[in-house]
Amino acid sequence: MSSTTPEDTATAAATTTTTEDTTRTSVARTVTDVLQPRNALLAGMLGIGLAAAGDWTGLLWGLLGALCAGLIPAGYIEWERGRGTWGDRHVVDRTKRAPIFFVILGSIGAGSVVMVLGNAPHGILVAMLALWVMTIGLLAVNTVWKISVDSAVASAVVALLAVVHSPWWLAAYALTLAVCWSRVALGYHTVAQTVAGAALGAATTVAYAFG
């Protein structure tokens, strides 16, 4: 006849906790990778461009916006990571983030100039400028406090889509909440940092409205 000792119970509980933590981390990693800024901006800017132009040409302008706001900055981060500047795309050290913001500002600025010269639809151009303003805000806050860029971008994309398409897009804030959760679960940010990022991202609609 076998009996369960306190040590056996403690070991089983520890194993269960470890398994749960591993699963939680795995899910959080998947969420943060799938919904990272470059992917969110690719989907979002295509949708904004389509709404702004009213036809397929808007997709081209949206692709340009996604390239300048998301893909080029992501490429820069990967390049620096390859050089050993940062450990991964998350750049957990706040003091090392300034160059990224300047690249984003320069890239969005260049893309906006191309849009002006190419007579792009007003809506996609204003969305670009709204993202530029948001990046200024992120840079300013980052000088004194770490703020979640992933949460800001996820929130901005949903807010802008809700403005240019339909308020029903606000339901997609469930994805923004998922991003915020993943950043906290992975230890990259605190709850306050993700909430601040999401709030700043939502504020892009104010910049859009004034545009």
Side-chain angles (χ1 to χ4, degrees), residues 1-205:
M1 182 176 181
S2 62
S3 60
T4 301
T5 66
E7 290 78 9
D8 292 334
T9 302
T11 299
T15 300
T16 300
T17 300
T18 300
T19 301
E20 290 176 349
D21 288 344
T22 300
T23 300
R24 181 171 177 264
T25 299
S26 178
V27 172
R29 178 69 60 187
T30 298
V31 170
T32 204
D33 286 344
V34 171
L35 298 178
Q36 64 178 285
R38 69 180 182 189
N39 296 339
L41 285 165
L42 178 59
M45 295 304 279
L46 288 174
I48 293 168
L50 184 61
D55 56 40
W56 67 271
T57 60
L59 294 176
L60 299 179
W61 290 115
L63 183 59
L64 174 62
L67 177 68
C68 295
L71 300 181
I72 288 177
Y76 168 71
I77 292 173
E78 288 301 312
W79 178 67
E80 288 285 16
R81 189 168 72 90
R83 297 174 62 215
T85 306
W86 305 309
D88 55 29
R89 78 167 185 86
H90 304 286
V91 192
V92 295
D93 186 348
R94 173 182 62 81
T95 63
K96 295 182 178 180
R97 289 181 162 192
I100 302 173
F101 291 120
F102 288 121
V103 167
I104 295 172
L105 290 171
S107 183
I108 293 178
S112 298
V113 170
V114 172
M115 288 183 178
V116 170
L117 295 176
N119 196 29
H122 180 72
I124 187 67
L125 175 59
V126 173
M128 284 283 279
L129 296 176
L131 291 173
W132 193 86
V133 170
M134 181 189 77
T135 304
I136 288 289
L138 289 170
L139 173 60
V141 173
N142 188 75
T143 59
V144 295
W145 187 61
K146 188 178 179 182
I147 188 169
S148 175
V149 176
D150 287 52
S151 300
V153 172
S155 177
V157 167
V158 172
L160 289 171
L161 286 172
V163 170
V164 302
H165 278 288
S166 164
W168 284 106
W169 271 101
L170 292 175
Y173 258 106
L175 298 178
T176 301
L177 290 175
V179 171
C180 293
W181 167 79
S182 72
R183 305 304 289 174
V184 174
L186 292 171
Y188 294 132
H189 290 286
T190 64
V191 172
Q193 289 165 352
T194 60
V195 170
L200 185 56
T204 57
T205 56

